[in-house]
Amino acid sequence: MTPAELRAFCLGFNAAVEEFPFTPETSVFKVLGKVFALSALDATPLKVNLKCEPELAVRLRADHEAIVPGWHMNKRHWNTVTVDGLPDAMVRELVEDSYDLVVAGLPRAERLRLDRP
């Protein structure tokens, strides 16, 4: 997956936006003001921080060298994923899971607005 493909995938979700609150190099993808992905899209190798269920996060880290505790994030809830170390389909699934976790934490009215009750 290329940086452009990662950006397009993240922005393809309902109400997803890209912001740069930290540095001009760090893309922060949000849904209704809540972060679901962070990446320095011009970095090599390409990495992305993604939210994850704590139990699943531990299993993923044990099973995949390309998945480690989230850099500069709450290590219990965030993973850093080296994109080229995993199949594209798995990266997409992890990004979607992160988005879904963030949406699940939104108030019901906002979830309904996103068509994700």
Side-chain angles (χ1 to χ4, degrees), residues 20-90:
F20 301 89
F22 305 118
T23 68
E25 296 82 28
T26 304
S27 295
V28 178
F29 298 96
K30 297 181 177 183
V31 55
L32 300 180
K34 303 290 183 181
V35 177
F36 70 92
L38 295 94
S39 180
L41 293 172
D42 59 353
T44 303
L46 178 60
K47 296 181 181 184
V48 60
N49 282 2
L50 299 169
K51 193 159 188 156
C52 190
E53 292 281 351
E55 299 79 23
L56 178 58
V58 171
R59 284 196 313 269
L60 289 169
R61 293 171 196 162
D63 293 344
H64 304 280
E65 283 184 28
I67 301 176
V68 297
W71 188 68
H72 282 293
M73 305 296 282
N74 180 328
K75 310 284 188 248
R76 180 168 155 75
H77 296 278
W78 289 84
N79 282 334
T80 297
V81 175
T82 301
V83 174
D84 65 357
L86 298 171
D88 287 358
M90 184 173 185

Side-chain angles (χ1 to χ4, degrees), residues 4 12 14 20 40 48 57 60 64 66 83 89 93 103 107 111 114 116:
N14 288 346
F20 301 89
V48 60
L60 289 169
H64 304 280
V83 174
E93 182 179 321
V103 168
R111 289 193 316 266
L114 293 172
R116 290 184 179 253

